[in-house]
Amino acid sequence: MLKQALLIAGALSLTTSAYALELTNPFYGPSKGTVASTTTYEFGTTTAKNNYGRTKDYDNLLTESLSYGLTDSISFDASVDNLWSKLKSVEGTDTDDKNIGWNLGATWNILTGPTKLQVSAAYGQDETEDNHGAYKYVDAGIKLGHTIGIYTPYLSGIVERPLFQSDFGDHHTKYEGKAGVYAYCPRADVAVDTGVRVDYDGTDKIAAYSYDLEVSYFLTNNVAVSAFGSYMLDGKAKYSTDIYGKSAGLRLRAAF
């Protein structure tokens, strides 16, 4: 009887570990009572060109995100960031070093087997100087994928709705969709996440198509470092504006 109980316990532990996702997995969520931290630095440039002239943005973004496992499938999420920006145009250079943003929300991993389904929601604010007051918003996201061996193809989408915004500010809905593939090789302690993303911002009628790539290395089971980049394949906005952009950054993930 004892031997049978030990065998059952061992089988259950193997099943549990098989569904425990690594930190870099797009569907990762901290288990109950666990905290996950993600620190990200990103540098990017965006160029806009039309018949009225040319502008170029230089952005440095630092973000700290924390998630706490309320259960094994539901987490409470919080993040804070600051954007250091510089805009060059025919009128000169404008620098803004205080663009603080934050958000609070929750994530629910509804399906956690080979087929994965995740939903999320959050409320946030960006304290910018050019938006006629703080930019307030709510967003909702959904992610669906299926694991086949070391690969997890997935689709994701996010809708962001501004709240209580001035008619002269940023008050239009934003959309993001992505088709990606995630791969994890435990023998090499390496993970790769890549995909194509489309973004639409109703305020400036911006439609942008980008390619994303992130390569991660696990220092331990609970600590991973990543290098990532994004390249805008095509971008259009109102007033017949062409948009070009690219970014690169580093990310540190940890769970404790």
Side-chain angles (χ1 to χ4, degrees), residues 95-124:
T95 301
D96 186 5
D97 292 336
K98 188 178 180 182
N99 297 286
I100 299 172
W102 58 267
N103 65 61
L104 298 173
T107 300
W108 179 21
N109 283 297
I110 299 173
L111 300 178
T112 58
T115 298
K116 298 171 174 60
L117 176 63
Q118 181 187 87
V119 295
S120 62
Y123 169 83

Side-chain angles (χ1 to χ4, degrees), residues 80 90 104 138 170 174 179:
V80 62
V90 293
L104 298 173
V138 291
D170 187 351
K174 300 167 179 58

Side-chain angles (χ1 to χ4, degrees), residues 39-104:
T39 305
T40 305
Y41 166 74
E42 181 176 7
F43 171 75
T45 62
T46 304
T47 302
K49 184 178 180 181
N50 57 27
N51 293 330
Y52 301 100
R54 179 178 181 271
T55 63
K56 188 168 185 177
D57 276 298
Y58 300 83
D59 295 327
N60 289 273
L61 179 65
L62 184 63
T63 307
E64 174 60 32
S65 302
L66 295 173
S67 294
Y68 175 76
L70 300 174
T71 70
D72 286 338
S73 59
I74 300 175
S75 65
F76 172 76
D77 311 316
S79 74
V80 62
D81 62 67
N82 190 72
L83 176 68
W84 292 266
S85 64
K86 181 171 67 174
L87 174 65
K88 286 188 176 182
S89 67
V90 293
E91 299 177 353
T93 300
D94 184 22
T95 301
D96 186 5
D97 292 336
K98 188 178 180 182
N99 297 286
I100 299 172
W102 58 267
N103 65 61
L104 298 173

Side-chain angles (χ1 to χ4, degrees), residues 194-211:
T194 185
V196 178
R197 173 170 46 87
V198 57
D199 295 276
Y200 181 78
D201 186 335
T203 298
D204 294 315
K205 303 295 188 294
I206 297 174
Y209 304 86
S210 305
Y211 171 72

Side-chain angles (χ1 to χ4, degrees), residues 138-166:
V138 291
D139 65 35
I142 186 169
K143 193 179 298 178
L144 176 66
H146 185 80
T147 299
I148 308 169
I150 68 169
Y151 300 100
T152 303
Y154 65 93
L155 298 171
S156 65
I158 300 174
V159 177
E160 180 177 303
R161 180 63 183 171
L163 297 175
F164 318 118
Q165 297 303 113
S166 164

Side-chain angles (χ1 to χ4, degrees), residues 225-239:
V225 293
S226 307
F228 64 90
S230 180
Y231 181 78
M232 190 180 296
L233 303 170
D234 186 37
K236 302 289 183 182
K238 62 182 180 180
Y239 309 124

